[in-house]
């Protein structure tokens, strides 16, 4: 019995170390060039990140089935409402999800938003967007500067992510 407890403890420690290492390598380094991506609105209109070059862009990677994503959306909407006239573009990119679920969300959203919602056509398959941004959890937030460089990365809907995003927006000259 002692052997199994030891193995369980060692497994738990290794799992924790791997999880921590994975969390530390998520996202992109600050100052890195944000990879361009193409995502689609329900009307099949193609939208690229590069369409917004020269502007600050907040990208929220989310999914319809993700509780923390839904919890973060009202805060993202509040930022959009407050800063859209100051030049902040907000894109909500639905990733790791089914196209039908996204279409249903657009028709009857569980959380109403006015910022642009897009869909990653990779669905639940291998996504060049997720791999390009090194995303291992959602929601994940990236603030991209007018020069196309990452100014902020945060994952989750916790106070730490929110505070970091607010600080990055203030550093970019936005008044909160």
């Amino acid at each position: 019995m002692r052997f199994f407890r030891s193995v369980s403890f060692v497994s738990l420690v290794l799992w924790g170390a791997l999880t921590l290492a994975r969390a530390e390598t998520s996202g992109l380094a600050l100052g890195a060039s944000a990879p361009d991506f193409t995502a689609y609105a329900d009307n099949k209109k193609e939208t690229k990140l590069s369409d917004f070059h020269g502007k600050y862009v907040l990208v929220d990677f989310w999914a319809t089935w993700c509780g923390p994503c839904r919890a973060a959306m009202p805060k993202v909407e509040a930022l959009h409402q407050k800063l859209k006239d100051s030049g902040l573009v907000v894109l909500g990119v639905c990733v790791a999800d089914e196209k039908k679920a996204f279409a249903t969300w657009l028709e009857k959203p569980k959380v109403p938003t006015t910022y642009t919602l897009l869909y990653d056509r990779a669905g639940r398959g291998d996504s060049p967007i997720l791999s390009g941004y090194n995303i291992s959890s959602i929601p994940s937030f990236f603030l991209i500067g007018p020069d196309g460089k990452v100014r902020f990365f945060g994952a989750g809907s916790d106070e730490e992510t929110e505070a970091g995003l607010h600080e990055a927006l203030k550093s970019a000259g936005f008044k909160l």
Side-chain angles (χ1 to χ4, degrees):
M1 190 68 159
R2 228 185 287 181
F3 171 76
F4 288 113
R5 281 190 215 150
S6 297
V7 169
S8 295
F9 177 74
V10 169
S11 296
L12 183 62
V13 169
L14 287 174
W15 177 81
L18 289 173
T19 301
L20 183 58
R22 184 174 163 193
E24 289 175 353
T25 60
S26 294
L28 295 172
L30 297 183
S33 292
D36 197 15
F37 62 79
T38 302
Y40 299 84
D42 188 47
N43 62 7
K44 302 190 180 22
K45 180 180 181 245
E46 180 178 283
T47 301
K48 295 182 177 189
L49 177 63
S50 58
D51 294 342
F52 304 99
H53 187 77
K55 297 183 178 189
Y56 278 95
V57 181
L58 174 60
V59 184
D60 171 13
F61 292 104
W62 67 287
T64 62
W65 50 263
C66 171
C69 298
R70 289 192 302 268
M73 288 176 112
K75 295 174 185 178
V76 175
E77 175 65 18
L79 286 174
H80 170 66
Q81 290 299 322
K82 186 168 190 150
L83 301 176
K84 66 183 179 183
D85 293 334
S86 299
L88 180 68
V89 174
V90 178
L91 301 176
V93 182
C94 183
V95 296
D97 212 337
E98 302 294 332
K99 185 175 183 179
K100 184 177 179 181
F102 177 70
T104 300
W105 181 282
L106 291 180
E107 290 173 16
K108 195 171 185 179
K110 293 181 182 171
V111 180
T113 58
T114 58
Y115 54 88
T116 302
L117 295 179
L118 303 168
Y119 179 71
D120 174 11
R121 283 193 176 165
R124 290 190 180 250
D126 291 335
S127 169
I129 296 175
L130 289 176
S131 61
Y133 279 79
N134 197 24
I135 296 171
S136 61
S137 65
I138 53 174
S140 284
F141 302 95
F142 290 84
L143 180 63
I144 313 299
D147 57 358
K149 306 282 187 194
V150 175
R151 303 290 180 96
F152 170 81
F153 163 71
S157 58
D158 58 14
E159 291 177 10
E160 184 179 340
T161 299
E162 183 179 4
L165 176 57
H166 284 195
E167 188 59 38
L169 287 165
K170 288 177 188 174
S171 294
F174 290 99
K175 293 184 178 19
L176 297 178

